[in-house]
Amino acid sequence: MGSKIKMFVSDMDGTLLGLDFRISEKNAAAIRSLEQSGIEFVIATGRIYCDAYEICRQSQIYPDIISNNGACIFNSRQEQIYGRWLPTEGLDDIINFMEKHRICYAISTSRSYLIPENWEELLDKESESLKQRGFLVSPAQFTYMREEMLTQVGVEIVPDLGSYFADGNSCYMISVHTFDPEVIRAVGEFISGFDNITALLSTDHTVDIIGRNCSKAAALKYLTQLRHLSRENVASIGDGMNDISMLRESAVAMSPANAANEVRAISEFITGSNTDDAVADAIRYITANY
């Protein structure tokens, strides 16, 4: 009897990718072996599509990609098959909130990741503020966040990002980059006042603002229905709070050792950390047990 698992879905940052934001050769080899066995490999990430695609292309992997935390799906032929724009109502208020409180944020489509011209100044001021208030955030953590932003394919520095929506533009997601727990709380409270928009914590330093009907789980459900599959045919792995809905939409939920406690608590199998080829571990588990 063949495996009941027909689709394997992986998060990127903190799961598939190492600290260099790349797929290790061991993970890449495991993915190729998985695909050769007849199980489809799918990416589900908070990154924009063109960035996720380029990371996969460098390892000669061409999966369907759920991007922007579930707002988009692109197939392996680079065709968009699903999209949920961030509702336009209230967007000006959100941007005004970010600008007023001098919060570092980014606006993303499927192919562009737009950051404000003063983004470095904003992060420098936050670093100093956290230090003065006794929060232990190391320079290395800020360096990692800066590299995470700047190395993305599609990143653009925009002189007047605050006027982006005034020109009638749309986006899939707004991302807040901060290590400040008070900023994370304030953004969450502010966004909770909107009926059709929600905020979710993607990493310990990223809050993503998306449409309330968007999630990795909703996009995954759309994709499985397109394949005439069900939840029972899906295995997934992720490390962050934004992965919980996806894991719950899977028959087999897995997480790396570095995952959030809440994520590990709902996982059937916990692999090594993302820096120790977590996805290769997960694939071995699936092929050995399913």
Side-chain angles (χ1 to χ4, degrees):
M1 183 186 300
S3 170
K4 74 170 186 177
I5 300 300
K6 304 299 180 184
M7 180 182 290
F8 182 104
V9 188
S10 176
D11 171 51
M12 295 193 89
D13 292 276
T15 304
L16 176 62
L17 308 184
L19 297 179
D20 58 355
F21 311 115
R22 294 292 177 262
I23 302 171
S24 71
E25 181 49 45
K26 194 171 181 181
N27 278 339
I31 292 167
R32 294 187 199 102
S33 176
L34 180 81
E35 292 177 325
Q36 289 169 3
S37 73
I39 299 176
E40 180 181 8
F41 178 75
V42 174
I43 289 289
T45 180
R47 288 176 178 259
I48 64 175
Y49 166 71
C50 68
D51 184 49
Y53 171 83
E54 178 60 21
I55 292 171
C56 292
R57 187 197 65 78
Q58 290 176 2
S59 294
Q60 298 183 341
I61 296 167
Y62 301 95
D64 280 21
I65 295 175
I66 297 169
S67 68
N68 302 73
N69 270 316
C72 306
I73 305 175
F74 284 77
N75 64 25
S76 59
R77 298 183 299 278
Q78 304 181 58
E79 300 165 336
Q80 185 167 1
I81 59 174
Y82 176 96
R84 297 290 183 270
W85 292 107
L86 190 59
T88 56
E89 184 180 353
L91 289 184
D92 287 336
D93 293 334
I94 294 172
I95 296 304
N96 289 338
F97 178 86
M98 303 299 174
E99 296 283 341
K100 176 183 176 180
H101 296 282
R102 296 183 62 76
I103 296 170
C104 184
Y105 68 97
I107 294 173
S108 62
T109 66
S110 61
R111 299 184 183 277
S112 298
Y113 194 78
L114 311 176
I115 59 177
E117 191 173 41
N118 64 338
W119 71 278
E120 289 187 286
E121 175 192 341
L122 294 172
L123 293 183
D124 286 342
K125 288 187 175 180
E126 177 178 295
S127 178
E128 186 60 32
S129 173
L130 288 170
K131 188 185 303 181
Q132 292 175 356
R133 288 150 51 206
F135 288 98
L136 300 178
V137 181
S138 70
Q141 287 174 284
F142 271 99
T143 297
Y144 179 86
M145 181 164 65
R146 291 170 193 267
E147 291 178 352
E148 185 179 46
M149 293 171 66
L150 278 186
T151 57
Q152 291 206 46
V153 173
V155 67
E156 297 178 34
I157 298 175
V158 179
D160 188 16
L161 189 56
S163 65
Y164 178 81
F165 296 113
D167 296 330
N169 295 310
S170 300
C171 75
Y172 287 114
M173 187 170 70
I174 298 173
S175 299
V176 175
H177 298 288
T178 179
F179 282 107
D180 192 329
E182 293 182 10
V183 171
I184 292 172
R185 177 189 55 76
V187 169
E189 288 181 357
F190 179 74
I191 297 301
S192 69
F194 294 87
D195 293 332
N196 55 356
I197 296 173
T198 189
L200 53 91
L201 193 63
S202 290
T203 70
D204 64 353
H205 57 270
T206 307
V207 179
D208 288 325
I209 299 167
I210 56 177
R212 192 171 291 278
N213 64 342
C214 289
S215 67
K216 290 185 179 183
L220 174 58
K221 189 172 183 179
Y222 178 90
L223 192 59
T224 55
Q225 289 175 344
L226 203 62
R227 300 285 196 274
H228 302 291
L229 301 175
S230 72
R231 176 184 178 278
E232 295 307 309
N233 302 124
V234 179
S236 65
I237 180 170
D239 72 300
M241 301 298 289
N242 60 325
D243 294 312
I244 288 178
S245 67
M246 173 182 77
L247 296 175
R248 286 178 170 157
E249 192 62 32
S250 307
V252 185
M254 298 170 286
S255 61
N258 53 284
N261 292 337
E262 296 89 338
V263 178
R264 285 187 280 117
I266 63 169
S267 298
E268 173 181 320
F269 178 64
I270 298 172
T271 70
S273 74
N274 67 305
T275 57
D276 293 321
D277 308 304
V279 168
D281 280 354
I283 288 172
R284 279 196 298 272
Y285 178 79
I286 290 298
T287 54
N289 293 279
Y290 292 91

